[in-house]
Amino acid sequence: MASNRTFTMVKPDAFGEGNCGAITKMIEEAGFRIVAAKVTKLSAERAGQFYEVHKERPFYNDLCNYMSSGAIMAMILEKDNAVADFRKLIGATNPADAEEGTIRKLYAKSIEANAIHGSDSDENAAIEGSFFFSKTEEF
Ligand code: CMP
């Protein structure tokens, strides 16, 4: 059964340009409930830990530098079928390929500075959520 939680980060490009509120509004209007939220700044080392799965990729160092270049907002979100529905809402990794109306189509700058992250599986949603939040309170 699909998990009802996913993890997201509004990335430094979108956060720095003041698009965090508009993006969060789209997320809530799409039916996601915010379970946890935190504004923070990653060091390059910590960004590297988060994206360790990509460490052999040619873009890894640039990605770590970019992800530590400014504040981000991390969130855990809840909705039925959260992981798949959220990836649909944010659109393709490369904004050039993202569908009209998706968050990346509207706000991403490039394949690297692509506005927002969304977990790609239930397992990674749990791992990534616990990277930022030690415990989520129930409301
Ligand atoms: P994200 O969905 O957070 O997962 C990995 C990130 O690496 C991705 O978004 C982009 O920010 C970045 N990324 C993925 N592919 C590339 C690429 N080909 N060139 C540069 N950055 C990339």
Side-chain angles (χ1 to χ4, degrees):
M1 196 178 103
S3 154
N4 64 349
R5 287 191 174 184
T6 191
F7 171 79
T8 186
M9 283 186 284
V10 177
K11 297 187 179 184
D13 59 305
F15 192 93
E17 292 193 353
N19 292 324
C20 197
I23 289 172
T24 304
K25 186 166 188 275
M26 284 181 71
I27 291 170
E28 290 191 311
E29 284 178 350
F32 291 88
R33 191 168 78 89
I34 299 169
V35 176
K38 181 189 286 182
V39 174
T40 187
K41 190 166 182 287
L42 293 168
S43 64
E45 188 187 4
R46 206 156 148 70
Q49 289 164 2
F50 183 88
Y51 281 116
E52 197 168 3
V53 66
H54 294 304
K55 71 171 183 288
E56 305 302 333
R57 309 287 285 272
F59 57 80
Y60 179 70
N61 281 342
D62 285 346
L63 176 63
C64 296
N65 289 333
Y66 157 65
M67 285 302 299
S68 57
S69 66
I72 58 126
M73 184 161 85
M75 289 186 275
I76 294 175
L77 305 171
E78 199 168 78
K79 181 184 183 295
D80 286 348
N81 201 33
V83 167
D85 285 2
F86 193 71
R87 285 176 74 80
K88 199 162 179 207
L89 177 67
I90 67 178
T93 303
N94 186 346
D97 301 328
E99 280 185 39
E100 291 297 331
T102 60
I103 292 173
R104 283 173 171 158
K105 186 70 177 183
L106 287 164
Y107 295 109
K109 298 261 169 304
S110 66
I111 193 168
E112 177 182 82
N114 63 354
I116 192 159
H117 169 80
S119 303
D120 64 3
S121 66
D122 291 347
E123 188 192 5
N124 283 338
I127 293 168
E128 291 171 1
S130 61
F131 189 89
F132 285 92
F133 302 99
S134 53
K135 151 179 187 295
T136 56
E137 297 182 33
E138 299 299 329
F139 300 105

